Amino acid sequence: MSYILIVGAKSDIAKAVAREYANSGYNIYLAGRKIDTLDAFAKDLTIRYQIEAKLVELDILNFKSHQEIYNSLDKKPVGVITAVGYLGNQELAQKDFNEAKRIIDTNYTGVVSLLNIVANDFEERKEGFIVGISSVAGDRGRKSNYIYGSAKAALTTYLSGLRNRLSSVNVKVLTVKPGFVDTQMTKDLDLPKKLTATPKEVAKDIFNAQQKGKDILYTKWFWRYIMLIIKTIPEWKFKNMSI
Amino acid sequence: MSKISAWGNYPVIEANLIKYWDSNSLNFEDNKEYIAYGNGRSYGDSALGENIVKVREKDLFLDFDQKSGLLHVQAGVLLSEILEHFVPRGWFLKVTPGTKLITIGGAIASDIHGKNHHIEGCFSECVEEFTILLDSGKIEVCTKESNPDLWRATCGGMGLTGVILDAKIYLKKIKSKYIDQTTIKTANLKETFEAFEEYKDMPYSVAWIDCLAKGDSIGRCLLMVGDFLEDGDLSYNLKKQKSIPFNFPTFALNNLSVKAFNWLYYGKVKERISKQKVDIDTFFYPLDAIGHWNRIYGKNGFTQYQFILPKEQSLKGLEEILYEISASGKGSFLAVLKLYGKANDNWLSFPMEGYSLALDFKIEPGLFELLDKLDEIVLKYGGRIYLTKDVRVSKENFEKGYPNIEKFREYRKEMGFDKRFQSLQSKRVKI
Ligand SMILES: Cc1cc2nc3c(=O)[nH]c(=O)nc-3n(C[C@H](O)[C@H](O)[C@H](O)COP(=O)(O)OP(=O)(O)OC[C@H]3O[C@@H](n4cnc5c(N)ncnc54)[C@H](O)[C@@H]3O)c2cc1C
Ligand SMILES: NC(=O)c1ccc[n+]([C@@H]2O[C@H](COP(=O)([O-])OP(=O)(O)OC[C@H]3O[C@@H](n4cnc5c(N)ncnc54)[C@H](OP(=O)(O)O)[C@@H]3O)[C@@H](O)[C@H]2O)c1
């Protein structure tokens, strides 16, 4: 059966996504940095789902390495899902450009570097799908995390352009915009329980949306409406708000 | 700090939840007490404490040996996950409780039992070894032979010896997902006991007792016994769960369960003895079909009272207790009765050769007084209370039922576990 490449595979969301795809019989490449730590997780996939799972060492910030890593995959994936992300520290990022750059490069530049390569391959093969995990934080800039948010906004726009470019060759691109998800990334934040999804819920949503060939997924679903309201607040008003 | 409770929704406490941790760098702070929490399917306060180590997220399948059926999993894996992946390959759990939504860690810590206790014993009987975190950085791989004390204290030890990290358990081969079930309808307790005896060679058995019955019909039941078919159908599809979305007003409950029993007893099961072909989920886990069914007891929560009596005393003791319950007007209208085989030598395991009864009570004024009274009867007949269901038993009533309690206490002291691992329950019953 075909392979799916999951980038940023150590993320809780990515792991849940890997299980969804494995459950449907796909083989899995798990890519990320210090990926050895996923040894046991890969074995888990093979025992549970009787599929193949392989580890791929990949640092999204090491742009130069991406082509070679992609070339080295024996069997080219039929789908690529990227979950890499870095929330970073907004205050620090305002003072120290290194932090700002890391946020931007992890969430945006690095993903562009990799997905460019994938897109070229899929375009040539006239098959495949791409899933990019962006964020509702990219829908509107807020003082609490606008460096992260703007990088995600750029990613969202990139994915939209990619979808436009690849639609003629039948390569589907799904933009995922999670709201709050209970993961390592948010473990220190006090998230409102009712609005917070588990990685498993998000993963199921992603799998279903991708299989149906959807373009944009808000998860959980009500974030589409929450963001609709937030986006319609006029800027003159929004600028004085704290949300 | 987060709100947390177990299955009974009583008590609900504020605790520090530790969710992201690595066994190699989980640093226990001095003078702080910890307790492991699996999937919270215990009913009371045994998994609750100041600092709660969440184990559910440790859910990796580590290894599986096709030949022997030995499965190595992390302690947070649910039994339901094992079934999902292994029933289609012809494997089933050797021992399983009445819900599949418990973790392997919880199964060991409560040394749980199933409908086949009289044949297969407790869960620990299918465990080859487990790995346990005894203190920061102190991890031990334990088999029954390598460290018998740690084994006997941990299996049934309610999380009070450390945090179980992973375990190797034997699965059993099956050839079908179906069970050939026989249902026997009895008219009173004596008939119920006779039916259990008559069918004691059947691997699985359990009875639903009608607690509303009065006078001559006290103890009437539907006894269900069965074994796996061999028809080769192993397709195991997860059914869509129905869920109770919010806490019920409590009056709804009694009407519901009375109706359910009467429907079965007078309507569905017409003959004294009847046969059914049922699947794994229907036979072993009927309650799992409804998610959050605990909400039907309302927001004040509920508890389950489960005790066991030695065989020779069971008839007399049960009669007395059923009478007491019926007179009190409290309690669920259905209770689960089971026959048990021989006890094992784990210090705090619940089962002994005899009969156990379990029934639910919603938390309300006067309940604990009633349960204290029932304790007296249980102890008078040489029985004991199941800790994993308990939320209220007194130290005195608890320890009378467990002859090895002093060994357990001493061992904990000697190992320094008493300073590190404590639950609300362990403090109450001082173990
Ligand atoms: C509908 C229903 C039916 C049931 N039927 C049965 C039955 O037929 N037979 C039976 O025996 N029980 C039965 N039970 C009880 C249940 O099997 C036990 O309470 C079991 O221990 C729950 O497991 P859990 O993973 O939810 O653990 P929790 O409820 O979270 O914890 C239970 C105990 O195990 C300890 N523990 C949990 N994980 C670990 C770990 N990793 N390391 C160390 N300690 C740990 C906790 O500290 C606590 O003392 C039933 C419960 C329900 C809700
Ligand atoms: N959690 C939420 O509430 C939420 C909401 C909206 C969107 N999202 C998005 O969802 C995605 C998954 O996040 P998550 O919540 O699961 O959090 P996470 O566990 O922090 O996931 C982020 C992943 O990105 C990886 N990563 C970071 N820098 C990398 C690099 N240089 N090279 C390779 N991998 C790198 C991380 O790996 P390391 O372990 O090596 O750092 C980690 O596995 C992210 O894109 C995030 O922005 C999350």
Side-chain angles (χ1 to χ4, degrees):
Chain A
M1 182 91 169
S2 7
Y3 271 88
I4 303 289
L5 169 64
I6 299 179
V7 188
K10 278 152 70 191
S11 116
D12 294 327
I13 296 175
K15 285 200 268 188
V17 167
R19 283 188 175 166
E20 285 299 320
Y21 280 86
N23 191 32
S24 287
Y26 289 98
N27 296 318
I28 310 283
Y29 290 120
L30 299 164
R33 53 183 178 176
K34 298 212 189 77
I35 200 68
D36 289 356
T37 52
L38 284 195
D39 239 350
F41 180 74
K43 180 97 193 256
D44 170 86
L45 291 179
T46 64
I47 299 171
R48 278 183 194 244
Y49 306 104
Q50 299 178 289
I51 52 117
E52 283 179 45
K54 291 186 181 158
L55 302 181
V56 178
E57 183 67 29
L58 181 146
D59 184 342
I60 206 74
L61 296 177
N62 188 356
F63 313 139
K64 286 196 304 265
S65 68
H66 295 168
Q67 184 73 56
E68 196 179 318
I69 293 171
Y70 191 76
N71 291 347
S72 73
L73 303 176
D74 311 336
K75 292 195 186 116
K76 291 290 168 281
V78 296
V80 174
I81 298 161
T82 150
V84 274
Y86 176 57
L87 187 55
N89 178 328
Q90 170 69 24
E91 265 175 51
L92 180 64
Q94 287 165 205
K95 294 185 205 117
D96 177 356
F97 182 67
N98 286 321
E99 175 74 352
K101 186 165 181 330
R102 197 171 144 213
I103 296 173
I104 296 164
D105 286 349
T106 309
N107 290 294
Y108 183 58
T109 326
V111 179
V112 170
S113 158
L114 183 74
L115 289 187
N116 273 355
I117 295 165
V118 173
N120 292 343
D121 179 42
F122 285 5
E123 187 173 44
E124 203 179 298
R125 283 162 49 196
K126 296 195 173 45
E127 63 161 11
F129 65 83
I130 292 170
V131 177
I133 304 186
S134 183
S135 170
V136 294
D139 280 10
R140 191 145 198 190
R142 294 179 303 134
K143 63 183 167 193
S144 59
N145 67 2
Y146 63 85
I147 307 275
Y148 170 79
S150 60
K152 288 295 194 189
L155 177 64
T156 300
T157 306
Y158 172 85
L159 292 167
S160 145
L162 203 58
R163 181 179 308 114
N164 188 209
R165 165 184 160 199
L166 296 176
S167 81
S168 62
V169 285
N170 203 29
V171 171
K172 295 263 197 257
V173 178
L174 171 67
T175 307
V176 181
K177 296 184 184 181
F180 297 136
V181 192
D182 182 15
T183 69
Q184 308 246 17
M185 181 179 267
T186 52
K187 69 177 170 191
D188 299 325
L189 307 178
D190 199 10
L191 301 178
K193 246 194 166 146
K194 290 228 156 71
L195 297 181
T196 305
T198 62
K200 194 170 171 179
E201 288 170 324
V202 169
K204 278 196 187 319
D205 279 355
I206 291 177
F207 179 77
N208 290 332
Q210 181 277 315
Q211 294 284 309
K212 284 186 196 139
K214 293 241 163 90
D215 300 322
I216 293 167
L217 168 72
Y218 282 87
T219 168
K220 302 177 164 188
W221 59 271
F222 48 72
W223 283 96
R224 177 181 295 274
Y225 302 98
I226 296 175
M227 295 320 293
L228 196 66
I229 294 166
I230 290 178
K231 280 191 286 189
T232 51
I233 302 171
E235 194 66 21
W236 59 265
K237 187 154 188 204
F238 192 79
K239 73 179 177 196
N240 294 318
M241 291 170 68
S242 266
I243 52 171
Chain B
M1 298 295 268
S2 312
K3 276 207 166 124
I4 187 162
S5 61
W7 192 241
N9 286 331
Y10 174 84
V12 180
I13 63 159
E14 288 270 335
N16 171 33
L17 302 191
I18 305 163
K19 184 168 161 192
Y20 295 101
W21 52 276
D22 170 346
S23 51
N24 295 312
S25 54
L26 176 56
N27 288 317
F28 294 126
E29 286 175 50
D30 282 343
N31 307 319
K32 280 198 179 168
E33 292 165 348
Y34 297 80
I35 191 71
Y37 187 103
N39 204 36
R41 247 53 181 192
S42 53
Y43 280 68
D45 53 359
S46 52
L48 304 180
E50 275 165 39
N51 298 287
I52 292 180
V53 183
K54 295 260 291 153
V55 185
R56 170 69 188 103
E57 288 73 22
K58 308 290 177 212
D59 68 348
L60 298 182
F61 285 62
L62 301 170
D63 212 349
F64 180 61
D65 179 18
Q66 300 273 5
K67 277 211 194 85
S68 61
L70 189 66
L71 176 67
H72 189 191
V73 288
Q74 284 186 327
V77 165
L78 295 179
L79 301 185
S80 60
E81 296 178 271
I82 297 177
L83 299 178
E84 180 183 345
H85 301 298
F86 285 92
V87 168
R89 291 180 232 175
W91 297 97
F92 190 67
L93 299 157
K94 284 198 155 180
V95 173
T96 176
T99 172
K100 56 180 173 174
L101 300 173
I102 71 161
T103 64
I104 289 292
I108 296 174
S110 298
D111 203 9
I112 58 102
H113 57 269
K115 296 179 179 187
N116 58 352
H117 183 270
H118 57 294
I119 311 266
E120 295 274 6
C122 286
F123 195 78
S124 56
E125 260 93 358
C126 76
V127 179
E128 165 84 13
E129 74 173 41
F130 60 79
T131 309
I132 184 165
L133 178 66
L134 303 170
D135 205 339
S136 300
K138 257 171 81 182
I139 293 174
E140 178 153 342
V141 179
C142 178
T143 68
K144 205 171 176 171
E145 291 72 35
S146 74
N147 192 340
D149 281 354
L150 182 59
W151 182 275
R152 285 191 289 242
T154 302
C155 301
M158 305 311 291
L160 300 172
T161 56
V163 180
I164 300 163
L165 300 173
D166 59 68
K168 292 183 180 168
I169 64 164
Y170 282 105
L171 301 181
K172 73 174 226 175
K173 270 261 166 228
I174 50 169
K175 294 202 178 102
S176 173
K177 65 164 177 181
Y178 289 112
I179 286 89
D180 181 15
Q181 173 179 283
T182 305
T183 303
I184 302 103
K185 191 157 125 175
T186 70
N188 55 44
L189 194 59
K190 195 160 155 286
E191 267 189 47
T192 299
F193 274 61
E194 284 162 5
F196 263 112
E197 285 302 324
E198 189 182 337
Y199 288 93
K200 70 172 185 296
D201 294 335
M202 290 300 271
Y204 299 104
S205 64
V206 69
W208 290 359
I209 298 268
D210 174 7
C211 296
L212 267 192
K214 295 223 161 37
D216 286 349
S217 343
I218 276 192
R220 71 176 185 185
C221 84
L222 291 172
L223 170 65
M224 282 149 297
V225 302
D227 195 2
F228 279 95
L229 282 170
E230 303 208 335
D231 64 3
D233 184 352
L234 290 165
S235 58
Y236 184 65
N237 299 321
L238 297 183
K239 289 183 193 147
K240 260 228 147 66
Q241 245 197 3
K242 295 198 179 62
S243 187
I244 307 277
F246 48 80
N247 288 321
F248 266 36
T250 38
F251 64 83
L253 166 73
N254 286 338
N255 290 329
L256 263 179
S257 58
V258 173
K259 281 199 183 122
F261 186 84
N262 287 344
W263 175 73
L264 276 171
Y265 195 87
Y266 296 110
K268 190 119 190 283
V269 187
K270 292 230 161 41
E271 315 291 321
R272 200 185 88 84
I273 295 176
S274 58
K275 287 252 178 203
Q276 299 88 23
K277 175 179 163 183
V278 294
D279 64 15
I280 284 174
D281 285 345
T282 311
F283 187 76
F284 291 101
Y285 316 113
L287 288 170
D288 289 346
I290 307 163
H292 297 293
W293 62 261
N294 52 348
R295 289 178 179 156
I296 61 179
Y297 285 92
K299 67 173 184 337
N300 294 336
F302 73 114
T303 186
Q304 185 171 88
Y305 189 69
Q306 182 168 10
F307 62 90
I308 187 162
L309 298 175
K311 209 161 180 181
E312 321 77 63
Q313 309 291 339
S314 291
L315 186 59
K316 254 169 82 193
L318 271 167
E319 249 168 12
E320 209 171 317
I321 288 171
L322 284 171
Y323 179 81
E324 199 67 55
I325 292 169
S326 153
S328 77
K330 291 188 165 55
S332 55
F333 293 104
L334 279 187
V336 174
L337 182 70
K338 248 207 64 56
L339 170 65
Y340 289 62
K342 293 223 172 340
N344 61 25
D345 60 359
N346 300 328
W347 291 333
L348 293 188
S349 280
F350 168 71
M352 59 165 88
E353 191 162 14
Y355 285 90
S356 142
L357 188 78
L359 74 163
D360 297 345
F361 291 90
K362 75 168 196 247
I363 304 287
E364 61 181 333
L367 172 63
F368 292 172
E369 288 79 353
L370 170 69
L371 299 183
D372 285 342
K373 221 156 125 194
L374 299 186
D375 285 352
E376 300 287 323
I377 309 175
V378 170
L379 295 172
K380 182 171 85 188
Y381 289 104
R384 60 171 70 133
I385 308 294
Y386 197 3
L387 280 180
T388 207
K389 308 286 178 75
D390 166 68
V391 73
R392 37 62 55 186
V393 73
S394 68
K395 170 178 177 286
E396 294 69 31
N397 287 353
F398 159 72
E399 61 192 13
K400 277 189 207 140
Y402 288 83
N404 288 316
I405 183 61
E406 284 314 323
K407 280 189 201 154
F408 185 80
R409 283 192 179 122
E410 272 161 36
Y411 179 69
R412 249 165 69 78
K413 248 195 214 115
E414 183 192 319
M415 301 297 292
F417 296 156
D418 58 335
K419 303 233 157 48
R420 184 61 78 214
F421 303 107
Q422 290 278 2
S423 61
L424 295 185
Q425 182 176 61
S426 72
K427 294 195 148 178
R428 177 162 44 80
V429 300
K430 304 209 168 42
I431 46 179

